[in-house]
Amino acid sequence: MNKLIRSKVIINKLEILYPETPVPLNHKNVFTLLVAVVLSAQSTDKKVNELTLDLFEKASTPSAMYKLGELKIYNYIKQLGLAKTKARNVYNLSKFIDSKFHGEVPKNFKDLESLPGVGHKTSSVVLAQAFGIPTFPVDTHIHRLAQRWKLTDGSSVKSTERDLKNIFPKHLWNKLHLQMIFYGREFCTAKGCDGRKCELCRELFPKRKVKFIHKKA
């Protein structure tokens, strides 16, 4: 089975399993989605959703978040890993958006990546999920699955993103990004599958006998 055929099998299977792809992070608007994505680094979506419920009731705009202050932001999210750094970044990016971008979250990579605590993956998620701009954010699940399914060599997250964009049709990128994450969390987990156990791995590589060792992001 060559790469093109594998990609079609993947598309069809994921569409059956996940015809709908709701955004996993709860948010009220583009700004709160950006904040939620920043907070989700090295944390679960479930925990972020729990802690931002009250935070977003109190501050759902850059101006309100900035006026809340770094310490109060921290008190809302202190159960998260790297909470102090995240609180500082949320405070500073809120101030930056309010002053430089007139309270509007920018809609391009250059401006998004200029914000404190916002890198390429976070920018990609916001552009895809908030603005519908085709991107292919690569998280640890996607990086792992792409290697197990031999869609990339996994040498870097950047190369994985490039390879997936070359393989899959552009109009599917945003949905596939979420579908792959959902599948990676539910079936092809880091410890629960070794490239031979989940349904897709078995279908794509029925003759695979040796445990597949993926490169970490």
Side-chain angles (χ1 to χ4, degrees), residues 11-204:
I11 290 170
N12 291 336
K13 181 65 176 179
L14 294 182
E15 186 62 28
I16 291 170
L17 288 172
Y18 310 107
E20 302 296 329
T21 52
V23 178
L25 290 166
N26 295 338
H27 58 283
K28 292 176 172 290
N29 50 38
V30 178
F31 170 70
T32 52
L33 175 61
L34 170 62
V35 172
V37 177
V38 169
L39 296 180
S40 70
Q42 299 183 41
S43 302
T44 65
D45 291 350
K46 180 180 179 181
K47 194 63 180 179
V48 172
N49 287 340
E50 289 176 4
L51 298 180
T52 55
L53 187 63
D54 291 336
L55 175 62
F56 292 161
E57 282 297 319
K58 188 70 174 180
S60 61
T61 65
S63 177
M65 190 69 74
Y66 165 57
K67 290 176 182 176
L68 194 60
E70 185 178 332
L71 180 58
K72 288 185 178 179
I73 294 171
Y74 170 75
N75 286 333
Y76 279 104
I77 66 166
K78 59 185 177 182
Q79 294 179 47
L80 296 177
L82 305 174
K84 289 186 177 180
T85 298
K86 290 177 179 179
R88 186 180 310 115
N89 285 336
V90 169
Y91 171 77
N92 287 328
L93 72 83
S94 301
K95 182 179 180 180
F96 208 75
I97 292 171
D98 190 50
S99 61
K100 183 173 181 179
F101 298 109
H102 311 290
E104 298 292 330
V105 175
K107 297 173 64 174
N108 62 80
F109 276 111
K110 181 181 178 182
D111 289 338
L112 278 170
E113 291 178 15
S114 73
L115 299 174
V118 178
H120 182 73
K121 190 187 82 171
T122 296
S123 299
S124 295
V125 172
V126 172
L127 291 174
Q129 297 178 1
F131 299 115
I133 296 171
T135 65
F136 211 126
V138 174
D139 73 343
T140 55
H141 297 290
I142 293 175
H143 191 57
R144 178 178 71 252
L145 267 56
Q147 292 176 71
R148 285 180 177 170
W149 298 343
K150 290 195 173 182
L151 303 177
T152 186
D153 65 8
S155 57
S156 68
V157 171
K158 185 176 181 180
S159 65
T160 297
E161 178 182 345
R162 181 196 64 229
D163 293 339
L164 292 176
K165 285 181 174 180
N166 287 335
I167 293 166
F168 293 111
K170 190 173 184 177
H171 70 279
L172 296 179
W173 291 354
N174 291 353
K175 190 172 188 179
L176 270 170
H177 152 71
L178 289 172
Q179 289 173 323
M180 288 180 71
I181 289 175
F182 296 161
Y183 190 83
R185 288 175 176 174
E186 187 173 3
F187 299 109
C188 198
T189 62
K191 296 181 179 179
C193 182
D194 61 9
R196 302 173 297 176
K197 297 179 180 181
C198 81
E199 186 176 343
L200 257 174
C201 283
R202 294 198 309 270
E203 183 174 355
L204 295 173

